[in-house]
Amino acid sequence: MTQVTGTVREHAKVVAVTGALLGAAAAFASHGISFNQNRIIEGEPTSLVNGLGVWGWILVGAWVVAGLVSLSPLPDRIRGIVVTVLGGAAPVLMLWGAGIAASAHVAAASDVARTSLLWAAWLSLFASYVVIFAATAWLEAGSLRAVLTYLPVAGVIGLALTGQLSELAVAREYANNAESFAVELRLHLAYVGGAVSIGLISGLILGLIAVRRRSLEPAIFGTLNVLQVFPTLAFIGLMNPILTGASERIPLLEALGVRGVGWAPVIIVLSAYAVYPIARNTYTSLSSLDSDVLDAARGVGMSRTRMLAEIEFPLALPVIIAGLRVALVQTTAGAIVAGLIGGGGLGTFVFLGAGETATDLILLGVIPIMVLALFFDRSVLALQRALQPWDTTR
Amino acid sequence: MNAKRTQLVAHWATIAVLAGVTLWMTFDVAGFSALLTLLVPDVETVVYPTKPLSTLMAEQVTLVAMASVIALVVGSLLGAVALSRIGRPFRDIIVSVGSLSQMVPSVAIMALAVPVLGYGAEPVVLALVLYSILPIMLNVIAGIEGVPPDAYDASVGMGMSPWQRFFSVQLPLAMPVISGGIKNMLVINVSAATMGAVVAAGGLGMPILAGFHDYNNAYILQGALPAIMLALLLDRLLTSPGELTVEAIT
C-alpha cells in the first residue's frame, strides 16, 4: 500500500502521542520498580514516579513535552528532532534514575539488597520505541535520522560503562557471573555463527540445485519443510540416541566430542532450521530473474558459470540476504535451547534462573539475546539496503 | 487431471498415516514400548512412569488449542482494528513490533512469567498467546491488503456495508494468506508447548526432560516421537494438496 507522505506524517502524530501517553502511564503504573531484601525475596512493587523520586517526575515531564511537541504546528524537521531526542532520553533518564535509587537502597538496607525493574519499566522502554519509530517519519532519511535513532542506545551503553547502573539487580547478577557470562556469550555466538554458516552454505547449494534441476525441487523443499516443523525440544531429543549410537560406533566422532548432549545436537538442530529461509530465498530469487537480462547474457556468449557468478547471483543477492537475516534472528533466539541440555550459551542463565525463580538471572540471559538479535537484524538490513539503493522503504 | 487426483490421494494418505501413527503411539502402550525397547535396548525402565502418554498428549493438545484459539480471536480483532480507519496510523508500528517479537525466545517469556503466574500451564498459555498474536495479525493485514482492488470496488458498488464487505468479500479472499499464518502459528505452538515442560506445564516435553535428566533415551523418544508426529500432522492438515508455492521470506 503506497500512501502519500502527507498521511504518513499525519499518522505519525497519532502514533507519537499514543506512545508518549503510554510512556507517561507506565511511569505511574504500580509495578515499575521494586526494592528487595535479597535476590529471591521480592519487595513491595512501586511505580517509577514513587521509586525514582525527582527522576520519575523528570521522566513524566519528558513524555508530556514529547506529546505536546508532536501535536504542535512546528515544522516537521524540528518536531522530528525534538520528539526523537525526548523519546530517546526517556529510557536513559529512567535507567539513570533507577541506578541512583538502587545505590541509595543498598546504602540504606544491606549489601545483599536488590533493586529490580518490573514490567512497567520495560513498558516504558517499549513506549520509547513507539515514539522514536513515529517521530523519525518527520525526518528525511540520512545520517541525522540514524544518529538520533541510536542516541538512546549510546546513552544506555554510556551509563553502563560509567558504572551508573551497577547497583541494579541485573547488573549485580552480571557481576556475580562475569566470568561464566563471557564464556557463555562466546559459546552462544559460536553456535549462531556455526549454525548460520552451515545453513548458508547448504542453503545456497540446495537452492541452486532446486533451480537447475526442477525435478528435485519438491523433494528438497519437502524435506526442508518437514525439518522446519519438528518441535525444537523433540528434535534435540531425537538427536540424542542417534548421536550417542553414532559416537559409540565411530571413533572419529567420539574423538571430536560428539555426544547425545552438548554442542553436537545443538549445531545440527539449529543448522537444520537455518537452511530453510536461505534455501527458499535462493530458489525464489534465482528462479524469478528477468528473462530479458538472462537472454542478453546468453547472447553475448557467457558460460553458465560466468552467468551465475556475474549476473544471476548479484541480482538475487538482496533476497538471499533477506533470508540470511531471518535465519540469523531465528538462530540467535533458538540457541537458547542449548542451555537446557548442557550445551552452554546464554540459555544457561535463563534455565538456571527459571529453576530458582530469579527473574534478574533470567534477564541476564534474555537481554543479551534480544540485543544480539536486534543488532544482527539491523546490520543485515543495512547491508540489504546498501545493495538495493533504489529501495527506500523503511 | 490424473496427476491432480494422485496428488490428492497422496495428500490424504499421508495425513491418514500420520494420524494413525500418532494415535497408535498415544494409546497402544504395549506396542509403543516394544518399539522403544527395540530402538533403545539398554535401558531398564522403558515407560515414563509419571503420567501415561495419553494424558501427556491431552495436556499438549489442550495447551496448543487454548493458546491458538485465544490468539486467533485477539489477533484477528487487532488485525481488523489495524485495517480500520481508527487503527490505520498504527499499521506500520504493528508490523514492526511483529518482527521484533521474533527476537524473544518463547521459553524466556514462560520463565519470566513464572514469578507472576506460578508454575504450570498459565505461563505457557500466556507465552504462546503473546507469541502467536502478532503473526496472526500480520497475516490478517497482509491478506486483506492483498485483496484485489477490483473486488473491493465491486463490493462498494453493490452497496455493501463495511462489515458486510469485510466478512463476505475481503475475509474470504484473504483466507489463503491467513490460513498460512494459522498453520505457522500451530506449528510454532506445538514446539513451544513442548518447551512448556521447563515450567512444569505438563505435555510431551515432560518425558523428554526426564529422559535428559535420567540419561534414559526411551523416555526422550516417548515424548519426541509423538510430538514430531503431531506437528507433522497439523502441518499436513493445513497444507492444501500439492501446494508447492515456495515464496521468499523477507
Side-chain angles (χ1 to χ4, degrees):
Chain A
M1 293 283 254
T2 47
Q3 285 168 322
V4 273
T5 9
T7 44
V8 169
R9 298 195 160 179
E10 211 42 52
H11 283 172
K13 211 176 238 192
V14 182
V15 178
V17 171
T18 311
L21 283 173
L22 186 68
F28 289 99
S30 59
H31 286 63
I33 190 166
S34 73
F35 301 101
N36 315 332
Q37 294 162 19
N38 58 40
R39 54 190 293 263
I40 305 296
I41 300 172
E42 295 245 334
E44 274 302 296
T46 179
S47 68
L48 291 171
V49 169
N50 277 335
L52 309 188
V54 69
W55 291 95
W57 289 105
I58 296 175
L59 178 69
V60 174
W63 288 123
V64 171
V65 177
L68 290 174
V69 174
S70 304
L71 291 171
S72 71
L74 287 167
D76 275 349
R77 193 180 144 82
I78 310 264
R79 237 185 339 182
I81 292 172
V82 173
V83 178
T84 307
V85 168
L86 283 170
V92 177
L93 285 169
M94 180 194 78
L95 289 169
W96 202 345
I100 290 168
S103 303
H105 173 55
V106 167
S110 74
D111 256 357
V112 291
R114 293 294 176 95
T115 307
S116 298
L117 292 172
L118 306 176
W119 59 259
W122 307 117
L123 188 66
S124 178
L125 292 188
F126 175 71
S128 292
Y129 180 85
V130 174
V131 169
I132 293 170
F133 183 94
T136 45
W138 292 315
L139 296 167
E140 300 299 326
S143 49
L144 174 73
R145 192 167 88 177
V147 167
L148 291 181
T149 306
Y150 290 104
L151 213 52
V153 179
V156 173
I157 292 173
L159 285 179
L161 291 179
T162 53
Q164 294 295 331
L165 307 179
S166 51
E167 289 301 335
L168 285 174
V170 178
R172 293 286 296 268
E173 292 288 356
Y174 169 73
N176 290 345
N177 297 291
E179 270 174 40
S180 62
F181 183 84
V183 173
E184 305 301 8
L185 177 65
R186 272 203 295 274
L187 204 51
H188 200 95
L189 286 169
Y191 282 140
V192 174
V196 173
S197 306
I198 295 171
L200 182 62
I201 294 164
S202 21
L204 285 171
I205 293 170
L206 289 172
L208 195 61
I209 292 174
V211 173
R212 288 275 190 262
R213 292 258 158 86
R214 287 294 159 113
S215 56
L216 291 176
E217 188 259 335
I220 290 174
F221 283 102
T223 312
L224 290 183
N225 184 36
V226 164
L227 291 179
Q228 194 72 8
V229 168
F230 278 23
T232 315
L233 191 58
F235 200 170
I236 291 243
L238 186 67
M239 291 323 304
N240 192 9
I242 295 174
L243 289 172
T244 311
S247 167
E248 277 165 4
R249 286 176 189 76
I250 305 166
L252 173 69
L253 290 181
E254 199 182 15
L256 287 171
V258 172
R259 288 177 302 120
V261 290
W263 65 268
V266 175
I267 285 284
I268 291 174
V269 169
L270 291 178
S271 306
Y273 289 140
V275 172
Y276 186 71
I278 294 164
R280 198 165 133 154
N281 283 18
T282 304
Y283 171 79
T284 47
S285 58
L286 284 177
S287 51
S288 62
L289 289 176
D290 193 343
S291 55
D292 293 353
V293 177
L294 302 185
D295 288 343
R298 273 191 215 100
V300 298
M302 273 196 180
S303 67
R304 266 191 107 160
T305 320
R306 244 192 87 190
M307 239 173 81
L308 182 69
E310 292 181 23
I311 313 266
E312 295 175 79
F313 189 68
L315 282 174
L317 197 56
V319 181
I320 296 175
I321 289 191
L324 174 70
R325 196 177 104 229
V326 173
L328 255 178
V329 171
Q330 257 181 21
T331 312
T332 307
I336 196 172
V337 76
L340 199 56
I341 56 156
L346 292 167
T348 309
F349 302 113
V350 176
F351 295 112
L352 215 59
E356 49 186 60
T357 57
T359 305
D360 293 296
L361 186 57
I362 299 174
L363 288 173
L364 181 63
V366 176
I367 293 173
I369 287 177
M370 285 182 65
V371 171
L372 281 176
L374 201 57
F375 171 75
F376 288 144
D377 183 67
R378 298 294 131 139
S379 330
V380 180
L381 200 59
L383 180 66
Q384 226 175 297
R385 295 224 175 100
L387 292 166
Q388 286 178 294
W390 59 89
D391 183 13
T392 53
T393 47
R394 296 216 306 175
Chain B
M1 292 319 283
N2 225 348
K4 207 166 170 102
R5 265 195 57 185
T6 319
Q7 229 167 42
L8 205 63
V9 170
H11 175 76
W12 287 105
T14 312
I15 289 177
V17 169
L18 286 170
V21 172
T22 311
L23 290 170
W24 170 72
M25 286 178 177
T26 309
F27 294 106
D28 181 8
V29 180
F32 191 31
S33 313
L35 175 69
L36 290 171
T37 318
L38 200 71
L39 291 172
V40 194
D42 47 2
V43 290
E44 287 182 13
T45 21
V46 176
V47 181
Y48 176 67
T50 315
K51 283 177 193 170
L53 205 48
S54 49
T55 311
L56 294 168
M57 180 61 94
E59 285 170 346
Q60 176 95 1
V61 171
T62 311
L63 282 175
V64 173
M66 267 171 65
S68 301
V69 169
I70 297 173
L72 196 59
V73 173
V74 178
S76 313
L77 283 175
L78 287 173
V81 167
L83 291 162
S84 70
R85 216 150 39 94
I86 306 159
R88 184 136 277 304
F90 296 95
R91 181 201 166 277
D92 291 349
I93 185 93
I94 285 172
V95 172
S96 165
V97 172
S99 64
L100 276 185
S101 73
Q102 298 308 308
M103 298 175 189
V104 195
S106 56
V107 69
I109 303 176
M110 296 175 202
L112 289 171
V114 167
V116 184
L117 300 173
Y119 287 98
E122 292 86 351
V124 178
V125 172
L126 175 79
L128 264 59
V129 168
L130 286 179
Y131 217 72
S132 335
I133 282 180
L134 287 156
I136 292 286
M137 218 156 66
L138 296 187
N139 276 286
V140 169
I141 293 172
I144 302 276
E145 283 179 350
V147 171
D150 296 354
Y152 181 80
D153 291 344
S155 69
V156 177
M158 284 165 68
M160 286 187 179
S161 72
W163 282 105
Q164 262 181 314
R165 276 208 297 269
F166 184 77
F167 283 104
S168 49
V169 178
Q170 290 175 295
L171 204 56
L173 285 173
M175 223 44 226
V177 178
I178 296 174
S179 69
I182 295 172
K183 182 176 89 177
N184 286 343
M185 171 187 79
L186 282 172
V187 167
I188 289 170
N189 281 354
V190 171
S191 180
T194 314
M195 213 49 118
V198 172
V199 294
L204 295 168
M206 299 296 256
I208 302 178
L209 286 188
F212 275 119
H213 193 261
D214 305 345
Y215 303 104
N216 183 327
N217 275 331
Y219 291 177
I220 293 184
L221 290 179
Q222 215 157 125
L225 294 175
I228 289 170
M229 289 297 149
L230 179 67
L232 288 173
L233 176 65
L234 287 173
D235 180 69
R236 286 298 100 194
L237 270 175
L238 288 158
T239 311
S240 41
E243 185 184 305
L244 281 176
T245 44
V246 181
E247 287 180 2
I249 311 168
T250 47

